[in-house]
């Protein structure tokens, strides 16, 4: 199925729910000195009217993966044999799509924020469009539109086969995101919270969650350590409901 024609490699997900999208700023958690990535993981629930379309796309990607991985291993092995180099034990990488028993089918396309060519760093960013197809990439880049988890979106990506070291697989290279319905991001919510000595976050059931989990979330999403900022956090709202208390 190898094909260099981008139109033949391009796919668009059905409308689904964004999960921890990184579109305003790239996610550098696993960059390890390399380029951080823009991400927009999308879930399509079983009771969603678009679920059958999600099933079809998932099955197509599964078939592509099943054909591509052994072919790439064979081609890489042949190339190494020609060069009389040692043949490593290739391993198939995890698929960036699949099915979650509770949340439905998901697709997790990503785009590196930059790459280097001829000693030049070339920056990249996925295009973002509103529900009418009007481009709002600049608004997202400037932080005027911050797409948070729970937003309704559809994503466009390129199917990308790769062999990196001993890892072989198929990735989804994010190209664009269409915003259908906006939900505020963690950063928006944080900016609206008064400067208090105590902040309490609860989920929609009113349950208190683990402090360490919240601490890690705030380090990732706000680049700050809540202890050094003098903010006490009791819990996290995985469902998106936020409650604050100031003494």
């Amino acid at each position: 199925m190898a094909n260099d024609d981008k139109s033949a490699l391009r796919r668009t997900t059905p409308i689904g729910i964004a999960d921890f999208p990184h579109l305003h700023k790239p996610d550098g958690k696993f960059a390890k000195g390399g380029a951080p990535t823009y991400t927009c993981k999308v879930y399509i629930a079983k009771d969603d009217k678009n679920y059958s379309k999600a099933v079809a796309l998932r099955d197509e990607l599964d078939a592509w993966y099943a054909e591509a991985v052994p072919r790439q291993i064979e081609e890489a092995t042949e190339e190494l044999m020609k060069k009389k180099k040692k043949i490593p034990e290739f391993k198939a990488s995890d698929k960036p799509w699949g099915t979650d028993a509770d949340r439905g089918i998901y697709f997790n396309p990503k785009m590196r924020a930059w790459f280097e060519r001829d000693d030049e760093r070339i920056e990249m960013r996925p295009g973002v469009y509103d529900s009418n197809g009007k481009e709002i990439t600049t608004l997202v880049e400037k932080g005027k539109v911050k797409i948070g988890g729970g937003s309704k979106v559809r994503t466009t990506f390129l199917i990308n086969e790769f062999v990196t070291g001993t890892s072989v697989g198929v990735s989804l290279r994010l190209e664009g995101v269409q915003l259908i319905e906006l939900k505020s991001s963690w950063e928006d919510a944080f900016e609206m919270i008064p400067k208090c000595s105590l902040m309490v976050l609860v989920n929609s059931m009113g349950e208190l969650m683990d402090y360490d989990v919240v601490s890690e979330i705030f380090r990732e999403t706000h680049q700050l350590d809540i202890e050094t900022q003098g903010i006490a956090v009791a819990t996290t709202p995985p469902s998106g409901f936020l409650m604050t208390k100031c003494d």
Side-chain angles (χ1 to χ4, degrees), residues 12-243:
T12 299
T13 68
I15 295 172
I17 303 301
D19 183 65
F20 287 101
H22 288 267
L23 296 170
H24 169 46
K25 296 179 181 179
D27 180 13
K29 182 177 180 180
F30 300 107
K32 296 181 180 179
T37 55
Y38 293 102
T39 66
C40 192
K41 190 175 187 179
V42 180
Y43 280 92
I44 299 91
K46 290 182 179 180
D47 59 356
D48 193 294
K49 65 180 181 180
N50 293 312
Y51 188 73
S52 61
K53 295 179 181 178
V55 170
L57 180 55
R58 179 203 61 191
D59 291 349
E60 180 191 9
L61 293 173
D62 282 344
W64 193 301
Y65 183 95
E67 186 278 333
V69 169
R71 169 173 48 77
Q72 290 182 103
I73 292 176
E74 181 179 351
E75 292 173 352
T77 299
E78 290 178 356
E79 188 64 24
L80 290 171
M81 290 177 65
K82 289 179 182 178
K83 297 178 180 180
K84 297 182 180 180
K85 292 186 177 181
K86 183 179 179 180
I87 310 300
E89 181 180 351
F90 291 104
K91 295 182 179 179
S93 68
D94 293 335
K95 303 173 185 176
W97 68 85
T99 304
D100 182 276
D102 298 318
R103 302 183 64 183
I105 292 174
Y106 64 87
F107 304 94
N108 191 22
K110 300 180 179 182
M111 172 188 278
R112 291 187 299 167
W114 52 262
F115 68 94
E116 293 182 344
R117 183 173 61 195
D118 300 328
D119 297 325
E120 179 184 3
R121 177 171 290 189
I122 300 174
E123 296 187 354
M124 301 185 294
R125 169 181 286 275
V128 185
Y129 305 84
D130 67 14
S131 58
N132 296 315
K134 180 181 178 181
E135 186 168 7
I136 56 173
T137 307
T138 300
L139 296 177
V140 174
E141 182 178 5
K142 292 181 178 180
K144 294 182 178 181
V145 175
K146 297 175 183 176
I147 302 174
S151 296
K152 288 185 179 181
V153 300
R154 63 159 57 97
T155 66
T156 297
F157 58 81
L158 294 176
I159 300 171
N160 178 56
E161 300 177 4
F162 68 87
V163 179
T164 305
T166 60
S167 181
V168 182
V170 176
S171 65
L172 308 180
R173 185 181 298 166
L174 182 63
E175 276 200 323
V177 176
Q178 184 178 22
L179 174 62
I180 307 301
E181 182 180 312
L182 179 67
K183 292 291 185 182
S184 296
S185 68
W186 275 95
E187 189 171 344
D188 288 330
F190 183 75
E191 289 175 352
M192 292 187 291
I193 297 172
K195 301 304 179 183
C196 313
S197 60
L198 176 65
M199 181 169 65
V200 179
L201 304 179
V202 299
N203 65 18
S204 60
M205 302 299 292
E207 299 167 334
L208 296 180
M209 306 298 287
D210 186 79
Y211 173 89
D212 292 334
V213 173
V214 180
S215 180
E216 181 62 24
I217 288 175
F218 269 73
R219 288 191 183 96
E220 292 178 15
T221 58
H222 306 302
Q223 290 78 52
L224 58 83
D225 188 319
I226 57 178
E227 293 178 357
T228 63
Q229 295 291 319
I231 302 172
V233 181
T235 145
T236 179
S239 63
F241 184 83
L242 179 67
M243 177 184 293

